[in-house]
Amino acid sequence: MSELHEEDACVRALGQVQAFLHGELDEHDEDLIRLHLDACEKCLENFDVEQAISALVRRCCPPTHASSELRMRIVSLSVTMRGEQDS
């Protein structure tokens, strides 16, 4: 593999690492990242660091859920905005 192609693969893999960690990629893209991480020690090290940071953030800042009132306000605004766009 050429050095330029390797760099492009690294940039793509590291650019998607957060989406990968959060399960936001489709199965095909996840498989591509896994294959790259298996073959690239440098990216695997970076991935390990990103994974550790994400775990710390999740532990220190657990996800919060919007109140039902807030969810209803958002839905209402969304409906209103859609109605205005259709006009």
Side-chain angles (χ1 to χ4, degrees), residues 27-39:
E27 190 174 332
H28 174 74
D29 288 337
E30 286 181 353
D31 289 343
L32 291 175
I33 289 181
R34 281 188 198 97
L35 286 171
H36 181 77
L37 293 174
D38 285 342

Side-chain angles (χ1 to χ4, degrees), residues 25-79:
L25 299 177
D26 62 35
E27 190 174 332
H28 174 74
D29 288 337
E30 286 181 353
D31 289 343
L32 291 175
I33 289 181
R34 281 188 198 97
L35 286 171
H36 181 77
L37 293 174
D38 285 342
C40 182
E41 188 174 327
K42 180 180 174 185
C43 285
L44 182 59
E45 289 174 8
N46 286 324
F47 173 80
D48 289 342
V49 170
E50 292 288 337
Q51 190 174 34
I53 290 169
S54 288
L56 286 171
V57 169
R58 276 193 308 276
R59 189 172 37 185
C60 295
C61 305
T64 57
H65 300 283
S67 68
S68 58
E69 288 177 354
L70 178 58
R71 284 194 298 272
M72 292 303 294
R73 286 177 51 203
I74 292 170
V75 168
S76 176
L77 285 171
S78 176
V79 169

